[in-house]
Amino acid sequence: MSESTLVQLCNIYTDLTSEDIQILENVASTLQLHADLKNAYMFIDCKMNNSEHAIVVAEAFPRSSESVYENSVIGKIVFESFEPGVFYSYRTGKKSLTSQAVTQEGKSVEQCVIPIKNNIHQVIGVLISEEEIFKQLPFVVGHKNVSFGQEELNAILSSSSSEMPMISDLLMEIFLLTDKDNHLIYANPVGVNFISEMSKTEEIRNKNIMELLPFIKSIYDFKEDVYLFDLTVDRKHLIIKKIRMRDKERLRGTLLIIQDVTELRTKEKELMMKSVVIQEIHHRVKNNLQTVASLLRLQMRKGFPEESKVYFEDTLNRIYSISSVYELILSNTDADDDDVNIIELTKKVSSTMVLNEIHKKVSLIIQSNGNRILTTSRKAVSIALIINELVQNSLKHAFQEDSQGEIEVSFYSNKDFLELHIFDNGVGMSEPKSSLGLEIVHNLVRNDLNGEFRYLPVEQGTHAVITFPISSEVVIYYEKENTDS
């Protein structure tokens, strides 16, 4: 059986798995029913790989009304500037209601966007419902999604008084309007300065825009009515939005909105250089920690009193825990991202210690409870050391030689707090004894996490709990409902 258009587009333009694409196909199979039921235009958009844009992979138009769309838009690129709700739902995983979005054919629509998620709660696409915004909308008190004051605005704009400037005159973006023959009929003050600078002429009114700005020709020649271009011209970095305005099939004019982002691009390059420097620092910190660990192992091989061995091993585990944070940072595909996935960090730190404990058969269980938790490198170092100390305590004291047991590390969250539970089914303890490890845990929880550390009474084993507030440095994604402990 030949592949559907949706499958072909997803395979070419996205990184989605076959299972994800099947989910999208299942949703697409119901689009026509939804379109007819709601009398709305239905679409599925997917983020493109290696791009900030999205692509339309499926559509359905209502059969009971005149279509807003003249042609199919499957395979068309979607830009955030025109449809911000699509990208909001992708980033947050939440529903979006946009009172006015611009279609691929330059028409205004009311848009509702719902994220489509896979079995592990990742957003793999968005389901979009669009309804046309008619030119004449009655003003209803309390209705938040309709514009009003069109007559008053027209009166102001058509007034001969110079006391009230046009809104576009107050903006930093360049606004240019050409007629059906591509003659310049309007430019705001920033636009006049821009054209005069680029064309070296002051005579611009009613001139052909392509004669004034030759680089515009490729934009006007581009067949799409609504598109966003990123150009570099004479060392200027420009983002150009083009919107052709039509009355049925008749072209009335073309609106260009141009942003000069030269300064922004320069700052982005500076930030990129800084991020490269920061990455190099992370590399050096990790390498230095590994060097220190190598020196300690060398010292251990040279021989030392048996009673000192445990202290060397504890120190090596602490160094490894800190080093794990930097390894995870360096594994991020985004060079600017120094956030650390706490779940992955816990697996890395805990599993290494369990595997090294060859005389005890201990199973390690990590429970994320549906959460994906990210935190800054600073907090991650503290959490890594806390997990190291508590798991290490369980391995040392909870199980006898050649015994079997379990250590479980779980994460629970509610609106304000995150809880880290470390439980073992070992011999337990009557009362926690003071030690350097527990002192480290208490200090890190109190001073770095602003949290609380305590042991809970259990019938068998030990149960340690760390509770700390969720802040701007701790972000939780794909959260399921948890039962507070």
Side-chain angles (χ1 to χ4, degrees):
M1 185 174 66
S2 60
E3 290 183 337
S4 67
T5 303
L6 182 149
V7 173
Q8 293 175 5
L9 289 171
C10 288
N11 284 333
I12 295 171
Y13 295 104
T14 76
D15 294 323
L16 297 175
T17 65
S18 57
E19 290 80 7
D20 292 341
I21 295 173
Q22 184 59 53
I23 293 172
L24 294 178
E25 281 209 288
N26 293 339
V27 176
S29 67
T30 67
L31 282 190
Q32 191 60 58
L33 288 173
H34 287 291
D36 291 336
L37 180 64
K38 297 182 63 178
N39 197 33
Y41 305 87
M42 306 297 298
F43 305 92
I44 295 176
D45 290 1
C46 294
K47 284 287 290 294
M48 301 171 69
N49 52 9
N50 302 319
S51 173
E52 297 178 354
H53 311 314
I55 187 169
V56 183
V57 298
E59 68 183 8
F61 300 164
R63 290 173 285 201
S64 59
S65 63
E66 182 181 350
S67 178
V68 171
Y69 290 85
E70 302 292 340
N71 302 295
S72 170
V73 296
I74 289 178
K76 295 291 182 70
I77 295 175
V78 179
F79 301 100
E80 184 168 7
S81 300
F82 297 118
E83 300 188 44
V86 169
F87 297 86
Y88 170 84
S89 288
Y90 247 106
R91 281 192 291 266
T92 64
K94 298 178 180 178
K95 178 179 178 180
S96 167
L97 291 172
T98 304
S99 61
Q100 194 162 336
V102 179
T103 72
Q104 298 288 342
E105 296 184 349
K107 297 181 181 179
S108 296
V109 293
E110 187 172 86
Q111 188 181 76
C112 175
V113 184
I114 299 174
I116 304 170
K117 299 182 180 181
N118 60 14
N119 296 329
I120 56 174
H121 306 284
Q122 293 175 325
V123 179
I124 58 174
V126 291
L127 177 64
I128 302 165
S129 169
E130 292 181 353
E131 298 181 52
E132 185 176 9
I133 298 176
F134 297 99
K135 293 181 180 179
Q136 299 292 332
L137 274 175
F139 176 68
V140 181
V141 176
H143 199 306
K144 299 179 180 179
N145 291 329
V146 296
S147 61
F148 62 92
Q150 186 66 45
E151 293 179 2
E152 289 79 357
L153 179 61
N154 290 339
I156 291 173
L157 297 182
S158 61
S159 173
S160 59
S161 170
S162 61
E163 294 180 3
M164 183 72 73
M166 286 186 65
I167 292 171
S168 59
D169 290 355
L170 305 175
L171 301 177
M172 295 304 296
E173 288 85 357
I174 298 161
F175 280 73
L176 305 178
L177 181 62
T178 58
D179 62 15
K180 61 183 179 63
D181 298 317
N182 301 332
H183 292 136
L184 184 65
I185 57 176
Y186 171 76
N188 65 344
V190 182
V192 171
N193 293 335
F194 174 77
I195 295 178
S196 298
E197 178 188 349
M198 300 295 287
S199 65
K200 310 300 181 187
T201 179
E202 300 295 328
E203 299 296 326
I204 64 174
R205 185 187 295 270
N206 292 321
K207 296 289 185 181
N208 190 301
I209 189 71
M210 297 180 206
E211 295 176 2
L212 295 170
L213 305 173
F215 65 86
I216 290 290
K217 185 177 186 308
S218 62
I219 294 175
Y220 272 71
D221 290 344
F222 196 75
K223 65 179 182 179
E224 300 290 346
D225 283 352
V226 176
Y227 212 78
L228 185 131
F229 302 83
D230 196 332
L231 297 180
T232 300
V233 182
D234 293 342
R235 296 186 180 181
K236 286 183 179 290
H237 297 277
L238 307 174
I239 294 177
I240 304 176
K241 299 177 187 176
K242 179 190 75 172
I243 304 174
R244 284 199 183 104
M245 295 170 290
R246 296 183 183 274
D247 183 4
K248 298 294 183 181
E249 287 299 317
R250 184 170 64 89
L251 177 64
R252 298 180 58 195
T254 303
L255 174 66
L256 298 178
I257 304 173
I258 305 175
Q259 290 177 281
D260 186 346
V261 294
T262 307
E263 185 177 350
L264 178 62
R265 291 287 187 267
T266 302
K267 290 180 178 178
E268 285 177 350
K269 287 182 180 178
E270 292 174 356
L271 288 173
M272 191 176 297
M273 290 300 298
K274 288 180 181 178
S275 70
V276 170
V277 172
I278 291 172
Q279 286 290 97
E280 178 60 26
I281 291 172
H282 290 329
H283 268 292
R284 293 188 181 186
V285 170
K286 180 178 75 74
N287 291 340
N288 289 340
L289 287 170
Q290 290 176 345
T291 300
V292 172
S294 297
L295 291 172
L296 286 174
R297 291 191 190 97
L298 181 62
Q299 180 63 53
M300 291 173 70
R301 286 197 294 269
K302 290 294 183 181
F304 51 85
E306 185 63 28
E307 62 270 16
S308 301
K309 181 179 179 181
V310 65
Y311 301 113
F312 275 83
E313 290 177 345
D314 289 351
T315 302
L316 279 172
N317 283 334
R318 288 163 189 152
I319 293 171
Y320 175 77
S321 298
I322 299 172
S323 177
S324 297
V325 173
Y326 292 95
E327 285 185 19
L328 290 175
I329 292 173
L330 292 169
S331 68
N332 289 337
T333 54
D334 185 354
D336 293 333
D337 185 6
D338 70 342
D339 286 345
V340 178
N341 187 324
I342 297 177
I343 309 298
E344 293 301 317
L345 178 64
T346 301
K347 291 177 182 177
K348 192 173 182 63
V349 172
S350 303
S351 59
T352 301
M353 286 189 289
V354 170
L355 289 173
N356 288 338
E357 194 61 57
I358 59 176
H359 299 297
K360 299 175 182 178
K361 299 176 182 179
V362 178
S363 299
L364 177 66
I365 302 170
I366 308 292
Q367 296 280 6
S368 67
N369 291 294
N371 295 323
R372 178 170 172 260
I373 308 168
L374 301 181
T375 189
T376 59
S377 56
R378 184 181 68 84
K379 267 189 164 48
V381 168
S382 299
I383 292 170
L385 287 170
I386 290 168
I387 292 169
N388 171 78
E389 297 301 330
L390 294 177
V391 172
Q392 192 169 247
N393 275 354
S394 291
L395 287 171
K396 280 184 183 178
H397 307 299
F399 310 105
Q400 303 295 328
E401 292 290 334
D402 298 322
S403 63
Q404 295 184 347
E406 287 184 354
I407 298 176
E408 181 177 315
V409 184
S410 300
F411 295 85
Y412 297 89
S413 63
N414 57 31
K415 183 179 179 181
D416 301 313
F417 290 93
L418 180 66
E419 289 187 358
L420 167 61
H421 293 247
I422 298 178
F423 168 80
D424 69 62
N425 61 352
V427 298
M429 58 181 177
S430 56
E431 187 175 334
K433 296 180 180 179
S434 178
S435 66
L436 175 60
L438 287 182
E439 188 176 335
I440 289 173
V441 173
H442 277 288
N443 286 334
L444 291 174
V445 172
R446 182 173 59 250
N447 298 325
D448 288 4
L449 303 182
N450 294 320
E452 179 186 55
F453 167 59
R454 66 191 188 281
Y455 281 101
L456 296 182
V458 286
E459 292 183 4
Q460 180 183 359
T462 58
H463 188 172
V465 181
I466 293 94
T467 306
F468 58 95
I470 296 173
S471 66
S472 58
E473 293 183 278
V474 181
V475 182
I476 302 177
Y477 293 102
Y478 313 129
E479 185 177 358
K480 293 180 179 178
E481 286 189 10
N482 290 318
T483 304
D484 292 344
S485 299

